[in-house]
Amino acid sequence: MTESTYRIHGDTGEWEVVIGLEVHAQVTTQAKLFSGAPTAFGAEPNTQVSLVDAAMPGMLPVPNRECIRQAVRTGMALGAVINKYSRFDRKNYFYADLPQGYQISQLYHPLVGEGAIDVQLDEKDPDSPTKTIGIERIHVEQDAGKLMHDQHPTRSYVDLNRTGVALMEIVSRPDMRSPQEAGAYLSKLRSILRYVGSCDGNMDQGSMRADVNVSVRKPGGELGTRTETKNVNSVRFVMQAIESEAQRQVEVIESGGKIVQETRLFDPDKGETRSMRSKEDAHDYRYFPDPDLLPLELDDAFLDECKASLPELPDAKRRRYEGDLGLTAYNAAVLTADAATARWFEALLAESARVQGKGEPEVARAAANWLISDLFGALNRLGESLETSPVSPEQGAELLALIADGTISNTIGKQVFEIMLETGDKPGKIVEEKGLKQTSDTGAIEKVIADIMAANEDKVVEYRGGKDKLFGFFVGQTMKAMQGKANPQVVNELLKKALG
């Protein structure tokens, strides 16, 4: 991706936007960072709280090994430096949903150091240029609880279920220059986290959210004062928040004002940011090493196990789909954009190869085209996803096999597919019960052709006189007379012979 040409147009000319993201990703584990309390989403308030989470006197935190392992695996997937030595710090501040009065985080010695992500403005466009977005660090910290303000007209309630849940804070460099770049970065990061399995990436549930740092400057000039818009929970909202906040900053500066370093919130209904509080500096939090926790020291065996556990990542998978399976760049990009899609496709591919007795490269293109065109189109129409698809990979493979071996035509295959969506039945059963098998009986097809030629003698004369386009008419009439069950290849061969 070349340097972004995105600009804010103000009264004094063009302004450039400088963007950095701090992404908070909830670690996929069964227990919290320093306690054994569960982490299931949607539980009743205050039912997943241990004595450690509630900050009862005398309770000591114990690091959850799996949380550390998942953060290390994430760092490795991003090509980042893994620090064998890291340390937890206390970040001191008072808030009603923070029982301890401090958050255990990592400031001076994070678990993961610098890395990078290569992104495209359009991941599904193979010709879209790439850009490298730097990652400054990933540190591990506890989440706070949640305040509920809508349960009572005059009171607020505290839910501590989320308190102590492990978060990875993934801090980017200020390398992004447009809302589109930020959206591409966030989408790619979410895709990698889902492949690794370290975060489910469900932004609507709050398990992944972004703090958006925005400043403006004249192109190539000194960096401006930045603001931080907290807890934005969708890719689309991140892009909207950047555009709105950048425009606001330009208007403030051009009207003679100054940008104040502050924390802001994004209002998706109004599509604008609003002030929340002034931005504190790090020293206001009085960071110091947590006296209850020893430093983390990782050995080579642990790191080797983390590395060995990594799956094939989206970029590598995309290259393999293009190189080994012969898929188009577009299809490969679509199928690898999300881990769930790639898993579904590979299940379809393996079953198709087994049923048809062929190698995966031989069946890959038909499987990819059917999944992207037919199944995705149907699921979008029905408002469903692959996770809730009424058609399984095994059923899809069976349908593709029936088309490949000539049992049914492509046209009949589409009819069978629609019935599968409605009933959930297997395609073989539908074909048998509906009598949809394709016929290659040359005698039956020849008789139909003879009848059609007899009924259209004028068109036969025209065709033989050089009007070749009429061949399609005869094919259509033959298929119609045979209710779409004739083998198209056989029809074409017999028609050429009869008309010639």
Side-chain angles (χ1 to χ4, degrees):
M1 189 184 296
T2 56
E3 188 64 27
S4 173
T5 56
Y6 178 84
R7 295 287 187 267
I8 297 292
H9 298 280
D11 295 335
T12 62
E14 292 187 336
W15 294 80
E16 182 180 49
V17 184
V18 179
I19 306 155
L21 296 182
E22 300 171 15
V23 175
H24 292 83
Q26 180 175 323
V27 180
T28 302
T29 56
Q30 298 299 312
K32 297 181 180 180
L33 181 55
F34 297 116
S35 81
T39 59
F41 176 78
E44 286 295 312
N46 297 308
T47 59
Q48 301 188 154
V49 186
S50 74
L51 296 177
V52 174
D53 307 322
M56 291 293 111
M59 295 297 104
L60 294 175
V62 177
N64 182 339
R65 185 181 188 275
E66 182 62 15
C67 295
I68 305 305
R69 176 178 174 274
Q70 291 283 41
V72 169
R73 294 174 71 246
T74 300
M76 289 177 169
L78 300 176
V81 175
I82 307 300
N83 296 319
K84 288 187 174 182
Y85 174 93
S86 62
R87 195 183 71 195
F88 287 106
D89 303 297
R90 287 189 182 180
K91 179 182 181 182
N92 297 274
Y93 64 97
F94 174 79
Y95 208 60
D97 59 6
L98 192 68
Q100 297 170 146
Y102 60 84
Q103 177 189 37
I104 302 178
S105 183
Q106 294 183 314
L107 176 67
Y108 301 110
H109 300 280
L111 184 62
V112 179
E114 293 188 349
I117 296 179
D118 292 328
V119 302
Q120 291 180 299
L121 275 181
D122 185 353
E123 280 286 342
K124 295 178 182 178
D125 178 5
D127 298 322
S128 179
T130 61
K131 178 176 180 177
T132 300
I133 307 297
I135 291 173
E136 181 178 304
R137 56 193 272 138
I138 303 176
H139 62 259
V140 181
E141 64 184 19
Q142 339 166 262
D143 203 352
K146 179 182 179 181
L147 293 177
M148 298 183 292
H149 305 291
D150 57 353
Q151 308 295 313
H152 192 279
T154 59
R155 299 176 185 173
S156 291
Y157 294 90
V158 180
D159 178 10
L160 297 182
N161 279 351
R162 207 166 64 190
T163 304
V165 165
L167 297 178
M168 296 178 288
E169 182 167 339
I170 305 168
V171 182
S172 82
R173 294 286 185 187
D175 292 341
M176 290 160 272
R177 296 292 180 269
S178 72
Q180 292 74 26
E181 286 185 13
Y185 166 83
L186 192 56
S187 296
K188 183 66 173 289
L189 177 60
R190 181 172 60 181
S191 174
I192 292 172
L193 294 177
R194 285 174 165 170
Y195 267 85
V196 172
S198 57
C199 175
D200 61 26
N202 295 334
M203 299 187 75
D204 58 322
Q205 296 179 358
S207 57
M208 182 174 169
R209 50 196 189 268
D211 296 344
V212 185
N213 292 290
V214 175
S215 65
V216 296
R217 65 180 179 183
K218 288 294 184 178
E222 293 293 321
L223 288 174
T225 301
R226 65 181 173 88
T227 63
E228 180 184 44
T229 303
K230 295 286 288 184
N231 293 329
V232 187
N233 65 349
S234 84
V235 175
R236 180 166 60 91
F237 290 165
V238 164
M239 295 171 67
Q240 290 177 356
I242 291 168
E243 190 166 2
S244 171
E245 177 59 15
Q247 185 66 53
R248 184 194 71 83
Q249 290 187 19
V250 168
E251 292 172 359
V252 168
I253 295 170
E254 290 191 334
S255 65
K258 289 186 177 181
I259 301 301
V260 178
Q261 185 174 349
E262 63 180 349
T263 299
R264 300 180 69 83
L265 293 175
F266 177 66
D267 185 337
D269 294 326
K270 295 182 179 179
E272 61 186 26
T273 66
R274 64 174 186 267
S275 182
M276 180 183 176
R277 61 175 181 265
S278 62
K279 179 66 178 177
E280 306 92 338
D281 291 326
H283 61 76
D284 290 328
Y285 290 119
R286 305 188 315 282
Y287 279 98
F288 62 86
D290 192 296
D292 293 335
L293 289 162
L294 293 171
L296 292 173
E297 297 187 25
L298 310 180
D299 58 30
D300 290 336
F302 177 77
L303 297 178
D304 290 343
E305 185 277 324
C306 290
K307 187 173 183 179
S309 71
L310 289 178
E312 183 181 40
L313 296 171
D315 287 349
K317 193 178 289 290
R318 181 173 175 174
R319 290 191 294 268
R320 179 169 66 83
Y321 282 6
E322 291 183 48
D324 296 351
L325 299 181
L327 299 187
T328 65
Y330 173 80
N331 281 1
V334 171
L335 294 173
T336 57
D338 184 78
T341 301
R343 285 193 295 269
W344 211 100
F345 171 67
E346 292 187 354
L348 172 68
L349 185 63
E351 185 64 12
S352 293
R354 186 191 70 79
V355 172
Q356 297 184 41
K358 298 178 180 179
E360 289 190 352
E362 296 177 83
V363 300
R365 289 189 180 184
N369 289 334
W370 176 81
L371 176 56
I372 293 171
S373 299
D374 293 40
L375 185 58
F376 279 0
L379 294 177
N380 187 55
R381 184 177 76 241
L382 297 171
E384 302 287 350
S385 65
L386 283 176
E387 288 80 2
T388 59
S389 171
V391 176
S392 69
E394 292 73 23
Q395 290 173 315
E398 184 181 342
L399 177 63
L400 291 172
L402 291 173
I403 296 170
D405 67 12
T407 301
I408 58 175
S409 66
N410 276 308
T411 302
I412 295 296
K414 292 184 183 300
Q415 296 177 28
V416 173
F417 177 56
E418 289 300 323
I419 298 172
M420 291 166 63
L421 289 170
E422 292 177 12
T423 65
D425 288 342
K426 293 182 178 180
K429 177 185 177 185
I430 295 169
V431 170
E432 284 292 335
E433 291 181 349
K434 302 286 185 182
L436 297 175
K437 279 188 178 180
Q438 181 171 260
T439 179
S440 298
D441 182 345
T442 56
I445 297 173
E446 285 173 340
K447 183 179 184 306
V448 171
I449 289 173
D451 291 342
I452 290 169
M453 290 175 64
N456 297 276
E457 291 182 354
D458 56 333
K459 289 185 170 56
V460 173
V461 171
E462 289 180 44
Y463 174 81
R464 288 174 173 165
K467 202 169 182 180
D468 295 343
K469 291 183 178 179
L470 281 171
F471 188 79
F473 165 79
F474 288 106
V475 172
Q477 290 296 304
T478 305
M479 295 301 292
K480 181 179 179 182
M482 301 199 70
Q483 299 179 314
K485 298 176 186 177
N487 186 316
Q489 184 177 347
V490 176
V491 168
N492 275 267
E493 292 172 358
L494 294 178
L495 269 172
K496 287 177 183 176
K497 181 179 178 182
L499 290 168

